[in-house]
Structures are given as structure tokens and as C-alpha cells.
Amino acid sequence: MAFEDIGHDEGAVKGGVTLAEAAKIKYLTPHNAQFVLTKGRMLSVTVEEKHYPSVYLHCSFPHSNRLLYISVRTLENEEVGMIESLDDFPEELAQLLKEQIAIRYFAPIITKVIAIKEEFGYAYWEAETQAGRCRFTVRNGGGNAKLVSEQKLLIQDVDGNRFLIERLDQLSEKEYRMVEMCL
């Protein structure tokens, strides 16, 4: 069956947007976008005279490069546009955007695994992080502990908090055995 046979030609409309329009990426630059931090410490942007009072930044490559291809989205997840590179922005503005990215992708780095106990489909972690000692619960299965690179492990707890183990090869043998049960 051809693409056109199922009603997805270039003029097809879904949600008021044609496929041709949806495929276009609007790149945001210092010339067409003005970012401002609001009194409530939210990020807002005005793009070609259209104001978006609250936006967030979504990195295309959050674990390997947070400076390239950053989607700017409304709270309703509508894409306003794409920042190709933070290097294209003045240093002060680039720093503001980097801070917003750091807040969104905050994930304490685990420096020591103290204990992991599994029970009834959950893993109960106790760990030292760069932000201090913490305890958190992870639902087993479902990709809640996944490798994001050869050595980097991302763990998401039941509340949506994220934690990182930067280098699995730097864990002690005991720590690695505990973590391995969760993979």
C-alpha cells in the first residue's frame, strides 16, 4: 500500500497542520527569539512577535551533548522551535539556558551504593550521591534502570526522580553485583 493510499499525502491535515508544515523545523536564534526569565523563575520566549509565557527545554541528546539540538516546548508539549547550538547565543543568554537545562535534567550522581534490597517487584536503594545520602525506590523491570552509554547507568525512581552512575567500571565488586541485579 502506497503512502498516498492511506490518506497521508502532503496536504493531509491532522490537528490543523499539514505534513509539510509538521516536517519543517523552526530554528530559534538570537535574531528571532528573545528568552526571558520570569519573576517566578520560569523561562518565557517571544518568537517573531508571538509570546510564550512558559516554556521548557528538551535536549535531543541529554546524556551526550546538552548544547546541540534543544527543543523549546510549551507546557502543553507544543514545539515552539529548535535551538541548533547554544554556542550561537551570547554567553549570558547561553548560561541562562544551560541553567534551565541543568534544572530539567537534574540527576544526582551516585558515588557509592550502600545497599539494594529487592522485594515484591521493587528495589530499595540506599546510596551516597554528590547531593548527600539518600534512599529511593525503583520499580523492577520496565527500563527504570538503563544504560545510556557503555558505562553510564540512569535510574528512575517511582516518583520520577533520576539518578546516575557515571562509571559502572568504578564501582567496587560488591556494588556492581548489587546494581547488576537491577539491570
Side-chain angles (χ1 to χ4, degrees):
M1 185 182 316
F3 189 65
E4 291 78 28
D5 293 339
I6 56 174
H8 289 84
D9 62 90
E10 198 171 290
V13 176
K14 180 168 177 132
V17 178
T18 67
L19 289 175
E21 290 170 331
K24 290 181 185 173
I25 296 174
K26 176 185 231 64
Y27 285 101
L28 304 181
T29 68
H31 305 291
N32 68 359
Q34 291 78 43
F35 290 92
V36 176
L37 197 58
T38 68
K39 289 180 184 175
R41 310 251 341 127
M42 294 291 295
L43 190 63
S44 71
V45 67
T46 302
V47 180
E48 298 171 352
E49 299 183 24
K50 183 165 183 186
H51 183 69
Y52 300 89
S54 292
V55 294
Y56 69 94
L57 305 178
H58 181 85
C59 293
S60 297
F61 307 104
H63 300 290
S64 58
N65 193 333
R66 293 184 181 178
L67 301 178
L68 300 175
Y69 300 104
I70 301 159
S71 176
V72 178
R73 299 180 184 185
T74 66
L75 297 179
E76 293 78 29
N77 206 28
E78 170 195 344
E79 186 170 73
V80 174
M82 177 79 69
I83 296 171
E84 191 169 11
S85 174
L86 287 182
D87 291 339
D88 297 338
F89 287 81
E91 184 56 39
E92 188 175 310
L93 182 54
Q95 187 58 40
L96 170 67
L97 298 175
K98 287 176 188 175
E99 288 169 6
Q100 292 296 306
I101 289 168
I103 291 168
R104 173 164 172 72
Y105 290 99
F106 175 71
I109 295 171
I110 294 173
T111 55
K112 180 177 177 69
V113 178
I114 298 165
I116 302 174
K117 296 177 184 165
E118 290 190 288
E119 190 174 84
F120 305 115
Y122 292 91
Y124 300 91
W125 289 62
E126 183 174 355
E128 289 284 341
T129 73
Q130 289 179 327
R133 184 175 249 181
C134 64
R135 292 184 175 144
F136 56 93
T137 304
V138 177
R139 190 180 333 269
N140 287 340
N144 294 309
K146 58 186 160 196
L147 288 169
V148 293
S149 73
E150 193 173 302
Q151 289 294 322
K152 187 184 286 189
L153 181 67
L154 176 68
I155 303 137
Q156 185 167 342
D157 75 3
V158 294
D159 296 319
N161 300 310
R162 295 175 286 223
F163 300 87
L164 282 174
I165 297 177
E166 287 280 331
R167 299 286 310 253
L168 287 171
D169 63 349
Q170 292 183 351
L171 295 174
S172 70
E173 188 177 330
K174 179 182 175 187
E175 289 173 303
Y176 187 81
R177 281 195 313 263
M178 286 188 285
V179 170
E180 190 176 36
M181 293 184 315
C182 299
L183 295 176

